[in-house]
Amino acid sequence: MGEMTNEGASLSAGIDLSQFYQVFFEEASENLDNMEQLLLNLNIETADDEELNAIFRCAHSIKGGAATFGFSDVAELTHQMETLLDKLRRHELQPNSEMVDVLLQSGDALRAQLGRHQGSGADAVDTSDLLARIRAHVEGEAAPAPAPKVAASAPPPAKPAPIPKATTRQLELQVGPLTDLSLADNLVELFKEITDLGTIEPLDAGVAADGIRRFKILTGSTDSDLLDLFTFHVAREQVKLMPLGPGFGFHEGAPGAPPVEEAKPEDLGYGFFDDAPGLPAGTTAGTEVQAVAASEAKPAAVAVKPAAKVEPRAAAGGMDQSTLRVSVEKVDQLINLVGELVITQAMLAQNSRNVDPGLYQQLTSGLADLERNTRDLQESVMSIRMIPMSVVFNRFPRMLRDLAAKLGKKVELVTQGEATELDKGLVEKITDPLTHLVRNSCDHGIETPAERAAKGKPEHGTITLVASHQGGSIVIEVRDDGRGLNREKLIRKAREKGIDAPDSMTDAEVWGLIFAPGFSTADQVTDVSGRGVGMDVVKRNITSLGGTVEIDSAEGYGMKVSVRLPLTLAIMDGMSVGVGEEVYILPLSSVVESFQVQADTIKTVGGSGRVVEVRDEFMPVLELEQIFNVPRFDFEHVSSIMVVVEAEGGRVALMVDELLGQQQVVVKNLEANYRKVTDVSGATIMGDGRVALILDVGSLIRRSRH
């Protein structure tokens, strides 16, 4: 296969492969994710054929696409993986944990190689160790070897030794029926560009009376490799490969065709011969077998029509045919436009309140319909950005497997609520804090097997990830059944660091100590982490998303960290309050209650601070009028309404003039459009066209503490 990278790789004959790169990279990434999940879930003692076949299909699909585009380093590694997986699925080898390790590490190397071809600028990946280990497993003499290393500033990988081909043979290729015959010509040009496939020439002089083009191919490639190439661009059922008899058109079923010789196993595609494990049910081997090709899950945009499904899709079978890939920028633009529509609709609703419905019945009816449709459209568009938590959870099994092996621990991961959906923007930002919490649970929470056995616990520790919806929020819990937090140890460490920690602290307050900057309960700091290392960063990151973190622990039995987040950052439920002539929005999730207050119930503390007593609890009082220097013209007026808000474990009472109501507001980024404003998290446009500021409750509570 000729060496080709994606930088400026364009076929001189007029077919530009780079237009298909993105599809290949996305599908290769999906196949690698699927393969990793399947390998992690593989029970090496009771591995069944379907699991092994599914893993094989993932590697085979990547190899086919890489061979098509000339990514020879990827093709070489996947070819060796395919050889090992083929022996496993034929039961010529028995799977073991070393094989799973080398296949997982190969997946990591493939990710690095693909990233390099995408232009990440990374150094070339040296896969020589991996290839040697895989070959050793194939030959039944494997010994563990180091993981793949990255060569320092290495040049692009040299062209690998060509994959041995079968004996050159003659085939007839039929493409069609096609409505656009130029597709067949494109395939021919593509075939000619990939020089080591063989030769191709038309059998039909370019005429296709029945919409089918016919070609003669001299090749040493397997049918499977050819199908991988052709069906990347044309639907699978539109491609046929068959032995070529003497003269034109002598294929099976043609008038006067001589008996067709029985095809040899090596001509039948990779591993697909009679009784081969994984051969589709009810099919006999032969060139008509629909070998699992890289194109099985190609989008309909590339193929002429959706490829026929041969087997039910296993866990590894890529994206559904009905799925459409759309860039996040387009979705964000759509959300922004819907936000503008919501604002316009609110403006129309407000301006039409004084219209006589008797005189303008159709107008008021139309506005009511517009309001309902706008709300439905808004919910539909928001749901486009929602993705399941499984996207986050799926990264943890592999991470825990490597981490547990490194620490000499036995850990099981249990996930619940993977289908719970969260806004894509939040998913990207919550992944790192969750990763840190899971690593801490494994390193500092779960005990060693010997410790657990001594305590009467099972040797396997369990880390549980749970996602669920509660009201307008999503709650993600990280639980472990490890040693839990030690109250006395936490208080002692806090005092060593000069943190005020009286014995009268409640348990919840003691657990909260681990969020202090630089606080750690680890006796020795490992390269993994102590439970406290970076917990302040975890809390800060979650707080910046409008979320909260809570800890619950029972010493000797384990602990639970609960992260509560808003479902989306783009649209929120808010309560609008009036101060003078200004309107401010409070996030509804932070509002606890509101009440009328008399001036004499407010007490002054320490000369300047003021507090109010609410059901035997004193809380700080903040006047929004003073904080934001609101101009006031009715000088006699005194704010008499208090709204209690909470965030970051604290509460504060805000003094306002009036409560204006609740509504969904479209959040606009103030920094992008103006600049950062203290105590303000964003802005929105009200129905009357005015800008209202959305208050940062966490910042107000921090202000009250100072």
Side-chain angles (χ1 to χ4, degrees), residues 350-664:
Q350 185 157 330
N351 291 335
S352 64
R353 282 177 189 160
N354 300 325
V355 171
D356 185 343
L359 293 174
Y360 299 98
Q361 187 176 355
Q362 280 187 300
L363 175 63
T364 52
S365 173
L367 287 170
D369 287 346
L370 177 64
E371 183 175 2
R372 186 176 64 253
N373 292 338
T374 304
R375 191 181 300 115
D376 291 345
L377 177 63
Q378 178 183 309
E379 288 177 3
S380 296
V381 169
M382 292 308 300
S383 71
I384 295 175
R385 265 186 72 97
M386 306 298 272
I387 56 178
M389 282 302 297
S390 57
V391 172
V392 182
F393 288 177
N394 285 348
R395 68 173 48 214
F396 295 128
R398 171 72 191 282
M399 184 190 85
L400 276 178
R401 182 182 193 272
D402 295 346
L403 197 56
K406 184 176 181 180
L407 298 170
K409 295 179 179 179
K410 296 180 179 177
V411 184
E412 281 182 40
L413 179 70
V414 177
T415 57
Q416 297 169 13
E418 301 99 318
T420 307
E421 292 190 328
L422 187 60
D423 185 270
K424 184 180 189 299
L426 280 169
V427 162
E428 291 164 354
K429 293 181 175 117
I430 195 62
T431 300
D432 283 348
L434 280 183
T435 301
H436 198 94
L437 292 174
V438 172
R439 290 174 71 89
N440 278 343
S441 283
C442 182
D443 179 33
H444 201 56
I446 302 290
E447 310 94 334
T448 62
E451 284 179 71
R452 292 181 67 85
K455 292 179 182 177
K457 292 183 175 182
E459 286 192 349
H460 277 83
T462 304
I463 294 176
T464 308
L465 288 171
V466 184
S468 61
H469 282 143
Q470 292 182 15
S473 306
I474 184 170
V475 178
I476 305 164
E477 295 178 357
V478 181
R479 304 178 195 155
D480 66 63
D481 64 349
R483 52 174 67 94
L485 292 173
N486 181 306
R487 180 185 167 94
E488 286 70 30
K489 186 176 180 181
L490 281 170
I491 291 175
R492 188 173 69 251
K493 289 269 186 182
R495 288 171 179 166
E496 285 173 13
K497 288 190 170 289
I499 299 171
D500 184 29
D503 290 332
S504 60
M505 292 174 77
T506 64
D507 281 352
E509 289 169 337
V510 173
W511 309 151
L513 288 171
I514 68 172
F515 292 121
F519 191 93
S520 176
T521 58
D523 294 321
Q524 57 186 65
V525 177
T526 66
D527 60 343
V528 179
S529 62
R531 171 155 271 152
V533 174
M535 285 295 276
D536 58 322
V537 179
V538 170
K539 182 166 186 178
R540 191 163 65 243
N541 289 347
I542 291 168
T543 303
S544 70
L545 300 174
T548 58
V549 195
E550 293 173 9
I551 292 178
D552 193 13
S553 173
E555 190 176 355
Y557 294 94
M559 71 173 282
K560 175 179 77 174
V561 182
S562 302
V563 177
R564 183 181 293 270
L565 293 165
L567 286 178
T568 176
L569 298 178
I571 291 179
M572 58 169 261
D573 286 309
M575 172 180 276
S576 47
V577 297
V579 180
E581 297 294 314
E582 297 296 320
V583 176
Y584 297 98
I585 307 290
L586 296 169
L588 199 57
S589 57
S590 299
V591 176
V592 180
E593 62 180 325
S594 57
F595 55 88
Q596 200 93 18
V597 69
Q598 304 303 319
D600 58 353
T601 60
I602 299 176
K603 314 289 183 189
T604 303
V605 180
S608 58
R610 300 202 295 167
V611 296
V612 64
E613 185 178 359
V614 183
R615 285 189 292 278
D616 300 328
E617 179 189 353
F618 285 94
M619 62 182 69
V621 173
L622 293 180
E623 283 192 67
L624 293 184
E625 179 182 340
Q626 291 181 359
I627 292 172
F628 295 109
N629 296 318
V630 179
R632 186 182 287 285
F633 303 104
D634 50 342
F635 303 105
E636 306 300 319
H637 184 88
V638 177
S639 299
S640 60
I641 296 176
M642 284 201 172
V643 182
V644 178
V645 290
E646 68 176 352
E648 301 182 18
R651 289 187 176 189
V652 68
L654 303 177
M655 290 185 69
V656 302
D657 290 358
E658 58 182 330
L659 304 179
L660 300 175
Q662 298 175 12
Q663 74 247 49
Q664 277 200 321

Side-chain angles (χ1 to χ4, degrees), residues 181-312:
L181 295 178
S182 65
L183 273 174
D185 296 323
N186 287 344
L187 291 183
V188 172
E189 297 300 336
L190 179 63
F191 190 97
K192 288 177 178 174
E193 284 294 327
I194 302 175
T195 51
D196 64 349
L197 283 181
T199 61
I200 186 168
E201 58 186 75
L203 280 172
D204 51 15
V207 179
D210 53 0
I212 295 177
R213 292 293 311 277
R214 295 175 171 83
F215 303 92
K216 173 185 173 183
I217 294 178
L218 286 173
T219 184
S221 300
T222 64
D223 286 8
S224 177
D225 284 344
L226 295 175
L227 287 168
D228 283 350
L229 172 67
F230 296 139
T231 58
F232 199 84
H233 310 289
V234 178
R236 170 62 191 87
E237 67 269 23
Q238 293 183 302
V239 181
K240 282 188 178 179
L241 288 171
M242 49 194 67
L244 181 69
F248 160 61
F250 285 110
H251 47 83
E252 189 176 0
V260 180
E261 290 182 20
E262 190 175 342
K264 299 183 182 68
E266 63 266 24
D267 297 342
L268 304 180
Y270 197 72
F272 283 113
F273 46 83
D274 287 337
D275 301 321
L279 189 65
T283 319
T284 55
T287 48
E288 287 298 318
V289 169
Q290 298 197 1
V292 177
S295 66
E296 197 213 325
K298 298 296 171 289
V302 178
V304 176
K305 60 181 180 179
K309 296 178 185 174
V310 180
E311 305 175 22

Side-chain angles (χ1 to χ4, degrees), residues 336 429 569-570 666-676 680-684 694:
N336 200 41
K429 293 181 175 117
L569 298 178
V666 179
V667 180
K668 299 284 185 182
N669 188 318
L670 204 58
E671 290 180 59
N673 297 293
Y674 176 55
R675 62 181 172 82
K676 175 69 178 161
V680 171
S681 62
T684 189
I694 300 168

